Amino acid sequence: MELRTRTATSPRASQPIPRTPIDLLGEPEFGFSIKMADEGSSADSIQPYDVAGPLFPNQEALPSVVTREDRLRVLSNDAMQYFLPATAAFFGEKMTVSTDSLDDIHCLALSYFQQQQYQRALETLNKKETLSKSVVCRYLAALCSLALGKGKDALDYLGHKNPFSDKGKKRDLNDMEVTEGRIKLDSVMCYARGKAYLLLGDVDKARECFKEALTIDVKCYDALEALIMHNMMSEKEEWEFVTTLPYEEHCGPDSKYFRYLYGLKVKTNIMKGKNVDPDVVDITKSLDVQLSIAERYFNENRFEDCLKICKEIRKQDAYFKESIPLYLACLFELGKKAELYEYAQELVNKMNNEAVAWHAVALYYLYIKKYMEARKYFNQALTINHFFQQAWLGYGHSFSAVKDYDQAINAYRQCSKLIPESYMPLMNIAIQYMGKEEYNRAYFKFRKSLEKCNSDPFLYNEFAVCCYKLELYEEAQASLHTALRLAKERQSQRSPIWEKIWCNLGHVYRQLPLQNYNRALKCFENALDRNPKNSDARAAAGMIYQLKGNVARAIVEYLEALKDSDSKHLIEELIKVALESNAKQSYVKEDEFPHLNDNVFDISQVLLTMKETRSVEELELDDTYWVTSAVKQTHGNNEKSAVASGKRKRVEREEQVGEDDSPPTLAIADTEDDMIVDEGDLRLKKLPRTLS
């Protein structure tokens, strides 16, 4: 990857800026400022604050051009509209010398701002003493301070809280504002105030400012984008806030349209399956609409479908930054290494001053397992955008991949501080604690993560693993059942979550007090239907067959598991135990192949299966079904026990094995209800209870 030096886009002044003391509630003289009530006026006669209006007057409303200053003012306005800030500054400076008008001073400072001469713009506003007279000039001064990275100065210009809300006066939205769709200036100032708090690292106050900006004027989309982009609200809070905004009051006849567009941005995707107002033009080709669909596909693990939409977005607008992290994630998940490399190189060439470009480079190195290089580029992305959650998670993954759990936890913890309402950092911290076998701390972090999100089946599955390790089997079952319901609602059939849930449920049903070998075996079979090469599920199924006495079938399952297992030593131990156990079993003479006579095929069970029309998920979640099956199984076992007892009477020979030379045996006991109890899972310390 070609590394390009990132140059600063704005000058940084070393000298402090002299600021004129400001009375935020003083009476301003600028035409677009807030109008205060006169002394002695009654509450009914107080006019609403007039803070809406264009920064530049309409040229049609300009007075007759009769003087040189008027002609220069028209020329300066034209230059600003045609993005000629140097021309505007040249003539604007001449006007301020002769007129000293607030309008002319503001236009001059604005021309400096457009040239990225932020320090110069601030000095102009301060030296001309405009800040105590004009709200718009204070807002421009705050923007200059934000561009210079001085959040505290920006708050001094804007006020540490909304000064107009202290009056307790609610403005009525007049018809002109609704018709023209103008954005209220105090809403914009609340948004700028939130950016200042964000620059200072105060996420809580920044969130409140962004929410206040939208409450004052729904049309201030930048505030919504900041809330969504920085994950400042939980899923539930986000849904409640966006759905209860005053669309009808602020947007008039376009209220349904705005509600639809904003609904596309929330995590819960409240507009799924809903159509926009039929009176409006079809916007299915809109970038935001397509991105919303792509995000839903990604959350459902439909990576191919998501990638297809991301490519369509890229054709429409290659610089639409919101879709690029999703595009990169799809390439990573699908293992498209060459395409990931090419796209990362393209982003570096075209957008090397954007965090997402270096995030792409880092993802490529993470994919090829060059973790040191990956950390370097993740760090560069975070230097550009400190609130880039995907880069923080990738940075943590680069440590987790080499089992450096402490460094990974530090990365995820920093991400959680910057983006406190996101559950992903907490979930990953819990997973690292599990890697360190600190299950109690992992349990606490999982609970905190579940408080922020209750709709992710992967989160519930990981929490169930933690509960299993703590021997909280009933809580593990409940968590897995929740994961199963969510997967049925939100996951595609190709998602890997199904295999994980079924396999983990099978392990839970191997343990007391939920021990039910038939139910466990059914779960492992469901997992194998999803992935026949799942060696964990196949080996666990073999253990259950062995515990039930079907040793020959167990050996078959072990041998199949051995083909695809990474833990061959463990399965070889299981095979050894099964073969030794099978060798000392007694058998009857009339059986031609006594060791293979394990009664695997049962026609009654086939008939019961044919009668059942419900899905395996519905059967698993129906506890009454398994209670009924257990009663039927007990009755069948009693009949089989009587037949087996008759056979044992005809046994002519039983192989004797010395106590000192006896191999490890299965610790099995018959209970009153004829269930086989697993006492220690083969009684071998080498065979721990595992949960994938």
Side-chain angles (χ1 to χ4, degrees):
M1 295 290 175
E2 180 184 356
L3 179 61
R4 299 192 175 189
T5 304
R6 180 173 174 262
T7 58
T9 58
S10 61
R12 296 290 187 269
S14 59
Q15 299 296 328
I17 303 169
R19 295 192 301 275
T20 305
I22 301 171
D23 180 10
L24 288 175
L25 295 179
E27 182 176 359
E29 299 176 3
F30 192 37
F32 306 112
S33 303
I34 295 178
K35 296 179 181 178
M36 309 297 293
D38 296 332
E39 290 186 1
S41 59
S42 62
D44 296 335
S45 63
I46 294 177
Q47 297 297 322
Y49 295 123
D50 181 18
V51 295
L55 294 181
F56 299 103
N58 192 323
Q59 287 194 8
E60 295 179 359
L62 288 174
S64 302
V65 182
V66 295
T67 66
R68 178 179 293 127
E69 287 78 10
D70 292 334
R71 292 191 291 272
L72 290 176
R73 189 172 292 112
V74 171
L75 179 60
S76 179
N77 287 334
D78 282 345
M80 294 292 290
Q81 292 180 3
Y82 293 134
F83 301 98
L84 299 172
T87 301
F90 178 78
F91 293 109
E93 188 270 336
K94 309 305 181 290
M95 287 188 296
T96 57
V97 172
S98 58
T99 65
D100 203 27
S101 166
L102 281 175
D103 287 345
D104 295 335
I105 295 171
H106 177 267
C107 290
L108 176 62
L110 187 60
S111 65
Y112 292 149
F113 182 86
Q114 288 190 353
Q115 296 178 78
Q116 299 181 0
Q117 298 179 14
Y118 308 119
Q119 184 78 31
R120 190 179 181 186
L122 274 172
E123 289 184 355
T124 300
L125 293 171
N126 277 281
K127 289 180 178 179
K128 298 294 185 179
E129 298 182 355
T130 62
L131 300 178
S132 60
K133 304 174 183 178
S134 170
V135 175
V136 176
C137 288
R138 293 204 295 267
Y139 172 64
L140 180 57
L143 293 183
C144 293
S145 298
L146 290 174
L148 292 170
K150 298 181 178 180
K152 188 176 183 304
D153 289 353
L155 289 176
D156 290 339
Y157 293 123
L158 295 166
H160 290 255
K161 60 180 181 178
N162 187 359
F164 314 120
S165 64
D166 291 343
K167 288 291 183 179
K169 308 300 180 183
K170 295 184 179 180
R171 297 176 303 178
D172 295 325
L173 195 67
N174 56 53
D175 295 337
M176 180 63 68
E177 287 176 324
V178 174
T179 302
E180 295 187 1
R182 295 174 178 174
I183 299 177
K184 300 179 179 67
L185 182 57
D186 50 343
S187 172
V188 178
M189 293 177 70
C190 285
Y191 167 68
R193 189 177 298 109
K195 289 181 65 178
Y197 279 121
L198 206 59
L199 195 61
L200 296 173
D202 195 335
V203 179
D204 293 334
K205 289 185 178 179
R207 177 176 61 248
E208 294 307 314
C209 289
F210 293 141
K211 292 173 68 174
E212 185 179 8
L214 285 165
T215 304
I216 294 173
D217 195 336
V218 172
K219 299 183 291 296
C220 186
Y221 169 76
D222 288 74
L224 177 67
E225 184 182 41
L227 289 170
I228 301 299
M229 182 174 62
H230 296 113
N231 285 281
M232 291 187 170
M233 294 185 289
S234 65
E235 187 174 293
K236 182 179 179 182
E237 291 173 341
E238 194 176 271
W239 182 85
E240 291 178 349
F241 177 73
V242 172
T243 54
T244 55
L245 286 172
Y247 297 101
E248 288 76 11
E249 180 183 355
H250 294 174
C251 306
D254 297 326
S255 59
K256 291 184 179 179
Y257 188 70
F258 274 82
R259 187 186 299 274
Y260 173 80
L261 294 178
Y262 283 14
L264 295 172
K265 309 300 291 186
V266 300
K267 301 184 187 74
T268 52
N269 198 3
I270 59 177
M271 303 312 297
K272 180 180 179 181
K274 296 183 180 180
N275 295 321
V276 72
D277 189 346
D279 295 333
V280 303
V281 180
D282 180 38
I283 57 171
T284 55
K285 292 299 181 181
S286 167
L287 296 176
D288 288 302
V289 175
Q290 293 184 77
L291 178 60
S292 176
I293 298 172
E295 287 175 342
R296 186 171 79 245
Y297 285 158
F298 186 86
N299 293 332
E300 294 174 356
N301 282 264
R302 297 169 58 181
F303 301 124
E304 295 86 353
D305 298 331
C306 179
L307 182 62
K308 183 178 179 181
I309 295 181
C310 287
K311 288 182 177 179
E312 290 296 325
I313 294 176
R314 184 181 175 187
K315 289 179 181 178
Q316 281 186 248
D317 185 355
Y319 296 91
F320 185 57
K321 292 188 296 184
E322 288 83 350
S323 67
I324 294 176
L326 198 63
Y327 194 154
L328 296 170
C330 288
L331 295 177
F332 187 92
E333 293 289 346
L334 295 172
K336 297 182 178 294
K337 183 178 72 171
E339 193 171 345
L340 179 60
Y341 174 84
E342 293 172 358
Y343 192 30
Q345 182 66 66
E346 179 183 341
L347 290 173
V348 170
N349 292 337
K350 295 181 178 180
M351 305 170 63
N352 65 347
N353 61 335
E354 297 289 347
V356 70
W358 302 110
H359 174 67
V361 178
L363 275 182
Y364 171 76
Y365 281 115
L366 186 66
Y367 182 83
I368 63 176
K369 300 182 179 180
K370 290 188 176 182
Y371 302 115
M372 291 294 292
E373 290 83 354
R375 291 170 203 157
K376 173 185 175 182
Y377 290 108
F378 279 131
N379 188 59
Q380 186 163 350
L382 291 170
T383 302
I384 300 173
N385 181 2
H386 207 48
F387 295 90
F388 195 179
Q389 177 177 256
Q390 292 91 333
W392 276 115
L393 295 177
Y395 187 62
H397 294 344
S398 68
F399 290 107
S400 178
V402 294
K403 298 185 178 180
D404 191 349
Y405 300 122
D406 292 332
Q407 290 294 335
I409 289 172
N410 289 337
Y412 297 136
R413 185 177 288 124
Q414 184 65 22
C415 178
S416 182
K417 289 180 180 178
L418 293 170
I419 312 173
E421 293 303 326
S422 175
Y423 75 97
M424 292 292 292
L426 293 173
M427 182 180 75
N428 282 283
I429 290 173
I431 293 173
Q432 302 312 304
Y433 280 135
M434 289 182 62
K436 298 174 65 176
E437 298 185 357
E438 298 179 14
Y439 300 117
N440 287 320
R441 301 182 74 176
Y443 180 88
F444 172 75
K445 290 297 182 181
F446 274 127
R447 296 295 301 182
K448 295 283 289 183
S449 184
L450 286 169
E451 290 175 4
K452 298 180 182 298
C453 177
N454 59 1
S455 61
D456 187 352
F458 288 91
L459 174 58
Y460 279 99
N461 178 73
E462 295 292 344
F463 179 58
V465 175
C466 182
C467 293
Y468 185 94
K469 295 293 186 182
L470 293 171
E471 299 185 1
L472 303 174
Y473 302 121
E474 292 177 323
E475 192 169 356
Q477 182 203 33
S479 182
L480 288 169
H481 278 181
T482 303
L484 194 63
R485 294 188 188 95
L486 291 172
K488 190 175 180 181
E489 296 173 0
R490 298 169 178 246
Q491 295 293 303
S492 69
Q493 293 300 314
R494 293 174 288 178
S495 173
I497 190 62
W498 298 104
E499 177 187 349
K500 294 178 181 292
I501 293 174
W502 286 123
C503 192
N504 293 342
L505 274 171
H507 285 296
V508 168
Y509 291 133
R510 291 170 48 231
Q511 311 299 334
L512 292 173
L514 301 173
Q515 193 175 76
N516 186 331
Y517 290 139
N518 291 333
R519 195 170 184 177
L521 194 60
K522 181 62 178 176
C523 290
F524 289 129
E525 289 173 355
N526 291 336
L528 291 170
D529 287 341
R530 299 281 177 175
N531 180 14
K533 294 185 178 182
N534 188 328
S535 59
D536 177 46
R538 197 169 290 280
M543 291 175 63
I544 293 177
Y545 280 123
Q546 186 172 351
L547 290 167
K548 294 179 69 174
N550 299 341
V551 182
R553 177 65 181 271
I555 294 173
V556 172
E557 297 293 342
Y558 291 149
L559 292 174
E560 285 294 321
L562 191 63
K563 297 178 182 178
D564 305 300
S565 175
D566 295 329
S567 305
K568 296 185 182 297
H569 176 71
L570 177 63
I571 298 180
E572 287 171 354
E573 289 288 337
L574 288 170
I575 294 174
K576 179 180 177 182
V577 172
L579 290 173
E580 291 173 345
S581 175
N582 192 47
K584 69 173 187 175
Q585 280 188 357
S586 59
Y587 58 91
V588 292
K589 282 184 176 181
E590 54 267 32
D591 291 336
E592 184 177 358
F593 301 102
H595 299 303
L596 299 179
N597 185 21
D598 56 4
N599 297 318
V600 173
F601 181 77
D602 189 343
I603 188 64
S604 63
Q605 294 297 320
V606 175
L607 291 175
L608 288 174
T609 305
M610 292 175 63
K611 292 179 181 179
E612 188 57 65
T613 58
R614 291 181 293 176
S615 66
V616 290
E617 294 84 8
E618 293 173 332
L619 293 178
E620 168 58 32
L621 297 174
D622 184 5
D623 289 330
T624 58
Y625 170 82
W626 292 103
V627 172
T628 305
S629 299
V631 173
K632 293 180 179 179
Q633 185 66 33
T634 300
H635 179 71
N637 288 341
N638 291 335
E639 293 180 352
K640 291 179 181 179
S641 297
V643 175
S645 176
K647 287 185 177 181
R648 280 194 292 269
K649 294 179 182 179
R650 299 197 303 271
V651 173
E652 298 181 356
R653 179 175 61 86
E654 182 173 347
E655 183 178 332
Q656 300 295 330
V657 180
E659 186 177 37
D660 296 336
D661 301 329
S662 61
T665 59
L666 296 175
I668 300 177
D670 292 327
T671 60
E672 294 180 357
D673 58 354
D674 206 32
M675 284 189 64
I676 298 176
V677 180
D678 169 15
E679 295 185 9
D681 288 343
L682 305 186
R683 281 299 210 189
L684 292 176
K685 293 183 179 179
K686 296 180 181 179
L687 310 178
R689 291 189 292 264
T690 58
L691 195 63
S692 63

